[in-house]
Amino acid sequence: MITRKNYETYVLDYLEGTLSEDLKKAFENFLNQNPDIREEIESLCDMPSITPQQESFPGKHRLKASTIKGLTYTEELIIAELENIATPEQRQELKYIINNDPQIKNLRLEYQHTKLQPPDITYPYKNYLKHKVISLPVIIKNAVAYAALVILLIAITTFLRHPDRQIATSLELRPGIEQTFLLTPADLAPMPRLNRPVIVKHNKQNTSHHSNKQTVTTTRDTISSPQQTAQIVDRIKPKSFSVQVPITHTIIIHNNQEKTKFYHTLADLGTKTKKKFSTWLEERGIKITRREFMIKIKNRSYGISVAGK
Amino acid sequence: MVSPGQYNEAVDKYADGLYRFALKLCGDRDDAQDLVQDAFEKLWKNRKKVDSQKIKSYLFTIVYHKFIDNYRKKSFQASLEETGLDPSYTDSYSDVKEVLQKAIDRLPPAQKSVILLRDWEGYSYKEIEQITGLNENQVKVYIFRARKFLRDFIKDPKILI
């Protein structure tokens, strides 16, 4: 029997629909007889239901660990985005973090500054690196001209290689014969504003005593006025040194700026020859810097090339 | 196989970038020029073996390894001598670019190389992996750490002195 005294025990089950059919009918009859209680129960039905709030922990990203030692999780996300390797989920997460944490926005901005821009630097010796390209049709077309040129070159080479002949542009060494050369300061002077390498020539002498040597210096450009030479010599003041070269290569001394012109010539030498030449320089107290073909005298660099057998 | 024409084209196309890279790595113009010359010399000598599609990475690979070799030799020599801090690092900095340049110079060689290849040459992680011989994860870690270092340096150059 449902009465005004005990009806409350049935209210909740009635509202949730868990009453048995008999009790449900009995409870509805009771409500019909007591309209004030019906009104009270109906007002309960209009109450909003209580659902769990959608709360999230604001600093989750600070708790997460980075896969890279020394970086925070957020930094890893920012760099991944900058590097264009972030997954869609990572981008979404970063967006969320930035929206909720203004400091991260600044951090992201700082990282964007680490993107490097290449400076405007050009390599100055491109032309020296290039090799001649001759196409086959051109060769065929000019076959006669080339043949004539080859004959001419052979003739010139034969003429220049004659033992009694001095090659005007280089210091030449005879195979198997120990020869002595005296290099004077003037020989080593850097040549200003020349558009091709200046190569010095020396007369060969078989005596080892310096004072008896005759040194003849010629250059292919005119810097040889006594005043100009004196100025240059005075500026660099390198020690004269004599060289005794029992190897069979031509030695060319040129200033630092010209070294690339000889580069391929040197590169063609075998390792043994290079080593032999390096040893030869070291034995004479000549400091070899950077590459085998550089020597340093009084803190100025000069190039040395070894060419041709 | 690289033809002489392709070789010369490579000189025009890549010598500048290669020189920039070498110069930033070693910080010396003569050394950088030598590195570039070495790379092209090697390319010329091996032109019959080199894939013409991979000339650029071939050149950067040579420069990178040559630099690392030289660096190791120099480090060994330097470790035998006492070295002091460069006083220029205590100077005040006027703009971000300037600070960034200083910061790059202070990166360890491997990190410096990978970040230059990435930002200056636009290489992918995979390509950097091939050039440097590092694995892809190492490349990623080096780039991320380099960025962290640069960012910290930009923020406060003096904290790293």
Side-chain angles (χ1 to χ4, degrees), chain B residues 25-83:
Chain B
L25 286 184
C26 58
D28 180 285
R29 284 185 187 276
D30 283 342
D31 285 349
Q33 285 169 17
D34 283 352
L35 286 173
V36 173
Q37 285 172 342
D38 280 346
F40 277 101
E41 181 205 351
K42 209 161 179 179
L43 173 64
W44 179 253
K45 278 187 174 170
N46 296 323
R47 64 188 182 279
K48 287 175 184 165
K49 297 177 215 158
V50 176
D51 182 351
S52 61
Q53 302 297 310
K54 293 180 178 171
I55 295 176
K56 190 182 173 190
S57 58
Y58 181 82
L59 291 167
F60 276 91
T61 303
I62 294 166
V63 167
Y64 172 78
H65 286 290
K66 198 102 187 166
F67 163 72
I68 293 290
D69 286 349
N70 292 346
Y71 180 83
R72 281 179 187 148
K73 281 177 202 161
K74 279 182 188 170
S75 298
F76 177 71
Q77 283 168 355
S79 69
L80 300 175
E81 300 162 15
E82 274 191 37
T83 51

Side-chain angles (χ1 to χ4, degrees), chain B residues 86-94 98-99 102 153 157-158 161:
Chain B
D86 185 340
S88 65
Y89 287 116
T90 59
D91 293 346
S92 58
Y93 300 98
S94 55
E98 191 190 336
V99 176
K102 298 270 182 195
F153 202 95
K158 287 197 173 81
I161 294 166

Side-chain angles (χ1 to χ4, degrees), chain A residues 285-302:
Chain A
I286 300 170
K287 192 181 174 187
I288 301 166
T289 61
R290 293 194 184 97
R291 301 190 57 80
E292 300 92 307
F293 61 94
M294 295 295 298
I295 61 166
K296 213 166 199 182
I297 303 162
K298 288 258 177 181
N299 293 326
R300 288 190 77 100
S301 292
Y302 298 88

Side-chain angles (χ1 to χ4, degrees), chain A residues 175-220:
Chain A
I177 301 170
E178 192 172 277
Q179 297 158 335
T180 304
F181 301 88
L182 177 66
L183 305 181
T184 68
D187 299 335
L188 298 168
M191 305 303 175
R193 284 176 283 139
L194 298 178
N195 55 8
R196 62 180 187 270
V198 172
I199 298 159
V200 294
K201 186 196 88 175
H202 301 267
N203 276 347
K204 294 184 284 277
Q205 297 291 320
N206 286 328
T207 171
S208 60
H209 196 270
H210 290 192
S211 59
N212 293 336
K213 285 178 208 163
Q214 284 187 327
T215 300
V216 179
T217 303
T218 59
T219 68
R220 289 188 295 173

Side-chain angles (χ1 to χ4, degrees), chain A residues 83 110 123 131 260 263, chain B residues 8 16 37 41 125 147 151:
Chain A
E83 286 291 310
E110 285 165 9
Y123 181 69
H131 288 262
T260 40
Y263 184 74
Chain B
N8 286 346
D16 292 339
Q37 285 172 342
E41 181 205 351
Y125 283 35
R147 292 218 186 280
R151 180 258 162 189

